[in-house]
Amino acid sequence: AGDISYNGRPDQYALAEDRFVNDLMGPLWGKNNIQRYRDRIVLIPGNHDVNLRFSACDNRKFNPSLKVFEDETPVHEADNGQYICHHDYALEPFRRFARLLTKDRNWVESRNMSWLDRRFLHCGIRFFLMNSVSELNATKYEYASFNKNDLIKIGRGLVDDDSDSIFSIAVSHHGLRPVGAEDRVKEVCNWSDVGCEFFSIHKIRLWLYGHYHDFDARSINSKPFDKTPLWLIQAPTTRVNVKDRGFCVLELVRQEGKVID
């Protein structure tokens, strides 16, 4: 659930890839199965995966004739999908790492790295990958949100899905701040305006997120989740090394071949 690196440096991802393969995937699946099981990995970037030095390139362009950097007018997002400055710079090392680790082409083709993952439909599960740091950069280095246009795009691709027969899981780095935490603790800022409605419409049952380091599990039972609760699982930051490995194990309950809880 994000924060694979400390500050988004390419050398940190090289180390992370080595540790995933040798300390996690190998012992879990066997070294002979590493390559064919890579597509079982689901991951999402966190705020520490954003390279703030790279994002500082936003609003700047290089003038080759004068050999200087100049200010560049930001291009605001519009219906034709124009880029907001050069935000891809900040998450490019993570994008390459995720593509290498999972072999999933979505890491190359998805602009903001949010999409519906249908690879596990044969298990009765689908994952909503929701990048909460797509708009985080050097000037907004703590900003956490769901991109509304990304969610609209995901929703348009769901017209033929039967949400009642599939157990839907959302994965993001940021979630809702822990109960009792101070307001300065960052959470998805547009949850009430954007996220809540999206989760309800598409009947997401389980929300997995990291960021807050400690384990916690609770549910939202108020409207619009009063009929079917939304479970929140706050996973501790994973430490991938030989001696110390922190993770959560979740068991999905099935009835007549369908995931129900």
Side-chain angles (χ1 to χ4, degrees):
D3 283 357
I4 303 298
S5 72
Y6 182 69
N7 52 19
R9 282 173 26 190
D11 62 310
Q12 294 170 358
Y13 290 116
L15 176 61
E17 205 270 342
D18 177 74
R19 288 186 171 177
F20 264 86
V21 169
N22 293 305
D23 298 336
L24 180 62
M25 297 161 67
L28 183 63
W29 296 321
K31 291 186 177 180
N32 293 333
N33 292 318
I34 289 174
Q35 294 305 319
R36 68 190 187 98
Y37 284 177
R38 285 179 181 269
D39 63 354
R40 295 188 178 192
I41 299 173
V42 177
L43 73 159
I44 203 76
N47 56 298
H48 280 277
D49 294 314
V50 179
N51 191 310
L52 296 180
R53 288 187 176 184
F54 287 3
S55 73
C57 295
D58 286 358
N59 305 329
R60 303 285 282 173
K61 64 181 179 181
F62 185 71
N63 186 323
S65 60
L66 300 177
K67 296 183 179 180
V68 296
F69 282 96
E70 299 175 339
D71 290 338
E72 183 176 29
T73 302
V75 179
H76 295 287
E77 189 169 9
D79 292 338
N80 60 1
Q82 290 179 307
Y83 282 78
I84 305 176
C85 308
H86 309 294
H87 284 182
D88 280 356
Y89 291 171
L91 278 170
E92 185 62 24
F94 177 88
R95 185 190 296 272
R96 294 184 182 187
F97 160 79
R99 167 64 172 154
L100 177 67
L101 188 69
T102 67
K103 304 301 182 184
D104 189 342
R105 286 192 58 83
N106 281 300
W107 290 113
V108 177
E109 297 171 352
S110 174
R111 183 188 147 206
N112 282 334
M113 292 182 275
S114 294
W115 68 85
L116 177 68
D117 189 339
R118 289 190 171 96
R119 290 176 297 164
F120 303 90
L121 281 180
H122 62 286
C123 301
I125 306 167
R126 64 182 180 182
F127 287 94
F128 288 79
L129 301 189
M130 306 175 72
N131 181 4
S132 63
V133 299
S134 64
E135 298 178 42
L136 185 153
N137 56 49
T139 59
K140 298 187 292 184
Y141 54 87
E142 292 185 324
Y143 191 71
S145 69
F146 292 145
N147 186 290
K148 185 175 181 179
N149 290 332
D150 289 344
L151 300 192
I152 291 174
K153 183 177 180 181
I154 292 173
R156 287 172 178 166
L158 291 171
V159 290
D160 296 327
D161 284 26
D162 181 5
S163 299
D164 291 322
S165 66
I166 306 170
F167 192 84
S168 297
I169 303 173
V171 183
S172 64
H173 180 64
H174 296 86
L176 302 184
R177 68 172 61 92
V179 175
E182 299 178 6
D183 290 345
R184 63 181 180 84
V185 177
K186 300 302 177 183
E187 64 177 0
V188 175
C189 66
N190 58 353
W191 162 251
S192 59
D193 298 330
V194 176
C196 183
E197 180 182 24
F198 182 85
F199 278 49
S200 174
I201 290 174
H202 301 298
K203 300 182 179 179
I204 294 174
R205 299 282 305 279
L206 175 63
W207 186 6
L208 298 171
Y209 51 85
H211 188 65
Y212 306 102
H213 301 289
D214 297 319
F215 173 79
D216 187 36
R218 56 190 169 105
S219 63
I220 299 178
N221 301 283
S222 56
K223 288 187 177 182
F225 306 106
D226 49 328
K227 294 183 179 179
T228 304
L230 170 64
W231 277 96
L232 314 179
I233 302 294
Q234 182 180 298
T237 299
T238 303
R239 297 177 181 176
V240 184
N241 57 47
V242 177
K243 296 182 180 180
D244 188 11
R245 191 179 295 140
F247 54 89
C248 299
V249 177
L250 304 176
E251 180 180 2
L252 301 181
V253 180
R254 295 179 184 273
Q255 188 176 75
E256 298 179 354
K258 177 183 174 182
V259 179
I260 60 170
D261 205 355

